[in-house]
């Protein structure tokens, strides 16, 4: 059975400095090893893929990526350069790699143009965005042009975590909760809900968003979201689809990246359906072989396993 991983990170020497804020989150030796693997695009990576039984990685620039660059012109140039590099790696290893573009969202018009170039000229399969861009989230009206282009190209946007603008008060004094341990998941789920209540999906009804880490907890809370939406003051917001869960089920696709556990997988299967779940390993921050072994042994029908392993990715990304 073909296996395709959708959250598979890399970085280049020129862009590695953007990840300095992540270095404080990991244990020093873990960060050193992850950094070494992020810079290795093919050699050890391909050997590990072969050993784990992972046929294809959809590569994406590691967080925070281009979003961390404060200068818009520099972001535009660096996004184009890294997308060119990614396309060359994919071309050199057909079938083994595909790619998600990095976008200079500091300049929305340039980002939309770069997305079209990356998809139409370079053959990349969508875009991955690492959280906010200098404090601006994807529901910002200035970024509607990017959503318009993504919908027109029929490609998904993978929304990946990164450090927030600040540390929430409830986390202050507990740095162990900052990052993928806790804060990233909560912030990324909230970012998706901003898209719902900010009208992005009403404006772009064919938009598709991917979330990793088994959906950042959203499949677990759909009933609660609807119940409280019926109860709360809407503050002037009305949803064309009436209930928040309708947007999650229609627009959200999730990957298993970083969560090798049957209970949340089964919850997601019941909440979203097998057509909206895809495979990911979260390489190099999780063990590739552990992830593929989980996929092979998870309590799924073989039809659903095939959808998660490769069929959904082939359909969604045109692989």
């Amino acid at each position: 059975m073909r296996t395709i991983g959708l959250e598979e990170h890399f970085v280049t020497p020129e862009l590695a400095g953007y990840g300095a804020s992540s270095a404080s989150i990991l244990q020093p030796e873990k960060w050193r090893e992850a950094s070494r693997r992020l810079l290795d695009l093919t050699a050890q990576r391909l050997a590990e893929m072969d050993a784990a039984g992972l046929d294809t990685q959809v590569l994406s620039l590691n967080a925070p990526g281009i979003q961390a660059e404060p200068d818009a012109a520099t972001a535009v140039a660096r996004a184009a350069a890294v997308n060119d590099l990614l396309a060359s790696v994919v071309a050199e290893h057909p079938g083994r790699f595909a790619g998600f573009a990095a976008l200079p969202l500091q300049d929305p018009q340039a980002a939309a143009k770069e997305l079209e170039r990356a998809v139409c000229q370079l053959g990349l399969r969508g875009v991955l965005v690492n959280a906010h861009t200098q404090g601006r989230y994807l529901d910002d009206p200035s970024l509607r042009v990017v959503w318009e282009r993504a919908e027109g190209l029929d490609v998904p946007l993978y929304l990946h975590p990164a450090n927030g603008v600040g540390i929430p008060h409830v986390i202050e004094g507990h740095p162990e909760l900052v990052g993928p341990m806790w804060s990233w998941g909560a912030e990324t789920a909230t970012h998706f809900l901003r898209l719902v209540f900010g009208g992005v999906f009403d404006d772009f009804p064919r938009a598709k968003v991917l979330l990793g880490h088994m959906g950042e907890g959203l499949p677990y809370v759909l009933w609660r979201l609807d119940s409280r939406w019926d109860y709360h003051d809407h503050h002037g917001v009305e949803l064309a689809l009436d209930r928040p869960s309708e947007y999650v089920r229609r627009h959200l696709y999730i990957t298993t990246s970083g969560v090798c556990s049957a209970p949340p997988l089964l919850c997601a299967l019941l909440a979203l359906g097998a057509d909206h779940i895809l495979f990911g390993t979260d390489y190099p921050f999780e063990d590739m072989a552990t992830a593929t072994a989980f996929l092979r042994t998870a309590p799924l029908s073989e039809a659903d396993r095939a959808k998660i392993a490769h069929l959904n990715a082939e359909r969604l990304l045109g692989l």
Side-chain angles (χ1 to χ4, degrees), residues 149-207:
R149 199 63 50 90
E151 184 182 58
L153 294 167
D154 192 28
V155 295
L157 185 151
Y158 200 123
L159 180 54
H160 185 269
N163 283 343
V165 176
I167 297 176
H169 185 267
V170 71
I171 292 179
E172 287 182 357
H174 285 273
E176 70 277 9
L177 296 178
V178 174
M181 178 75 185
W182 184 254
S183 67
W184 282 9
E187 290 178 3
T188 307
T190 303
H191 196 161
F192 181 86
L193 292 178
R194 288 181 66 120
L195 304 181
V196 173
F197 295 108
V200 169
F201 299 125
D202 288 341
D203 291 346
F204 304 102
R206 293 182 290 110

Side-chain angles (χ1 to χ4, degrees), residues 26 43 147 166 200-201 211-212 237 243:
L26 275 65
W147 287 106
V200 169
F201 299 125
L211 291 184
V237 174
R243 294 196 162 193

Side-chain angles (χ1 to χ4, degrees), residues 11 27 95 107 117 120 229 292 297 299:
V11 78
Q27 298 172 26
D107 182 337
R117 186 186 79 93
C120 297
W229 185 240
T292 55
T297 59

Side-chain angles (χ1 to χ4, degrees), residues 90-143:
V90 172
E92 290 168 6
H93 301 275
R96 302 311 306 272
F97 297 121
F100 286 130
L103 296 185
L105 295 172
Q106 295 86 338
D107 182 337
Q109 294 291 336
K113 291 178 182 178
E114 178 60 17
L115 176 56
E116 184 161 4
R117 186 186 79 93
V119 172
C120 297
Q121 297 181 32
L122 301 182
L124 302 184
R125 303 296 174 160
V127 54
L128 184 138
V129 173
N130 290 297
H132 63 93
T133 303
Q134 304 298 305
R136 181 163 56 183
Y137 293 91
L138 289 166
D139 62 319
D140 191 284
S142 69
L143 294 173

Side-chain angles (χ1 to χ4, degrees), residues 9-83:
H9 306 295
F10 78 97
V11 78
T12 67
E14 295 77 15
L15 302 179
Y18 289 145
S21 61
S22 298
S24 64
I25 294 173
L26 275 65
Q27 298 172 26
E29 65 276 13
K30 300 285 189 183
W31 178 247
R32 284 192 293 271
E33 178 60 16
S35 297
R36 183 184 68 79
R37 293 178 182 231
L38 285 167
L39 289 164
D40 169 33
L41 270 166
T42 57
Q44 182 177 345
R45 187 183 298 255
L46 281 167
E48 290 193 40
M49 289 168 63
D50 290 339
L54 182 60
D55 297 286
T56 304
Q57 281 194 334
V58 184
L59 298 169
S60 55
L61 186 61
N62 190 49
I66 300 298
Q67 274 78 58
E69 172 55 52
D71 180 71
T74 301
V76 170
R78 289 191 164 182
V82 77
N83 290 336

Side-chain angles (χ1 to χ4, degrees), residues 271-288:
L272 304 179
D275 290 341
H276 281 244
I277 305 174
L278 299 89
F279 180 66
T281 75
D282 209 354
Y283 181 88
F285 303 105
E286 297 284 355
D287 180 65
M288 198 184 298

